[in-house]
Amino acid sequence: GAGVSQSPSNKVTEKGKDVELRCDPISGHTALYWYRQSLGQGLEFLIYFQGNSAPDKSGLPSDRFSAERTGGSVSTLTIQRTQQEDSAVYLCASSLFRGSNEQFFGPGTRLTVL
Amino acid sequence: SQQGEEDPQALSIQEGENATMNCSYKTSINNLQWYRQNSGRGLVHLILIRSNEREKHSGRLRVTLDTSKKSSSLLITASRAADTASYFCATDAFLLNYGGSQGNLIFGKGTKLSVKP
């Protein structure tokens, strides 16, 4: 596809369950970023990948959050033992390389933890 | 941590009027970007201004950057109802010890613009 895609678009889960969110970046983009946006707020940086490695994990809010990227392409963000405060829209973006001009964003996954 | 702070938080204008949104940030930057978001979902890149630039235009958009004041403004001229959206500034921080871009963007909380027909 031409743009960044994310799945699922919406996810409702019960507190304590694990969830996996998926991001397909634009083909050829080496850098991939995860952000989250709580209701009415700006975007909070979570983690970024350059290729398959994640040199900066400083934004992950707790050890319940982890992410991986395989083959320099698809990335999954996993949240274990979800809490209600994890409810947010999780946005993925990609760019040609770290620090390149523009980040292209996916439509996001809206996560609701009941 | 949040780098940018936009003001106003909300702005309501009539179609045809100009809309000005401001952004302030805290650290040295490589560049500053403005994004638009409709209905709380995906963001669309509008314009990028580099730290050595002072003004940039793109269609009805005009962006200024004052690095001495660590501030930027986005002007939308002749607004249309379709411009109704949230607008965010985002900074690409410059890492002194790396000598280059930090990579990830740091976003402000955004300005919610409403353009009434």
Side-chain angles (χ1 to χ4, degrees), chain B residues 69-100:
Chain B
K69 294 181 180 176
K70 291 187 166 57
S71 68
S72 172
S73 68
L74 171 68
L75 168 68
I76 304 174
T77 59
S79 63
R80 305 166 183 167
D83 294 330
T84 295
S86 291
Y87 292 82
F88 294 89
C89 72
T91 50
D92 180 9
F94 180 81
L95 296 181
L96 196 59
N97 57 356
Y98 178 71

Side-chain angles (χ1 to χ4, degrees), chain A residues 9 35 37 98 101 107-108, chain B residues 33 37 41 48 50 101 103 105:
Chain A
S9 57
Y35 299 87
Q37 185 178 29
R98 169 184 168 168
N101 286 356
Chain B
Q33 305 179 35
Q37 184 180 40
R41 297 307 285 259
L48 177 151
R50 300 193 184 283
S101 164
L105 296 174

Side-chain angles (χ1 to χ4, degrees), chain A residues 3-7 22-27 32 73-75 92 94:
Chain A
V4 178
S5 60
Q6 292 185 245
S7 61
R22 177 188 166 109
C23 172
D24 274 280
I26 292 173
S27 177
L32 184 148
S73 182
V74 171
S75 175
C92 173
S94 70

Side-chain angles (χ1 to χ4, degrees), chain B residues 51-62:
Chain B
S51 60
N52 61 354
E53 296 176 313
R54 292 296 166 259
E55 188 171 312
K56 205 157 182 184
H57 297 255
S58 176
R60 293 184 297 114
L61 305 180
R62 174 181 166 244

Side-chain angles (χ1 to χ4, degrees), chain A residues 39-97:
Chain A
L39 189 64
Q41 298 295 308
L43 276 71
E44 174 191 3
F45 167 70
L46 298 178
I47 189 170
Y48 92 90
F49 290 88
Q50 181 62 45
N52 289 337
S53 65
D56 186 358
K57 301 182 180 179
S58 63
L60 294 177
S62 77
D63 58 10
R64 296 185 296 104
F65 287 72
S66 63
E68 64 174 19
R69 188 180 186 196
T70 53
S73 182
V74 171
S75 175
T76 54
L77 176 70
T78 301
I79 310 173
Q80 296 178 306
R81 305 181 302 281
T82 52
Q83 304 293 313
Q84 287 183 331
E85 62 263 28
D86 299 334
S87 296
V89 176
Y90 289 81
L91 290 155
C92 173
S94 70
S95 63
L96 271 174
F97 49 85

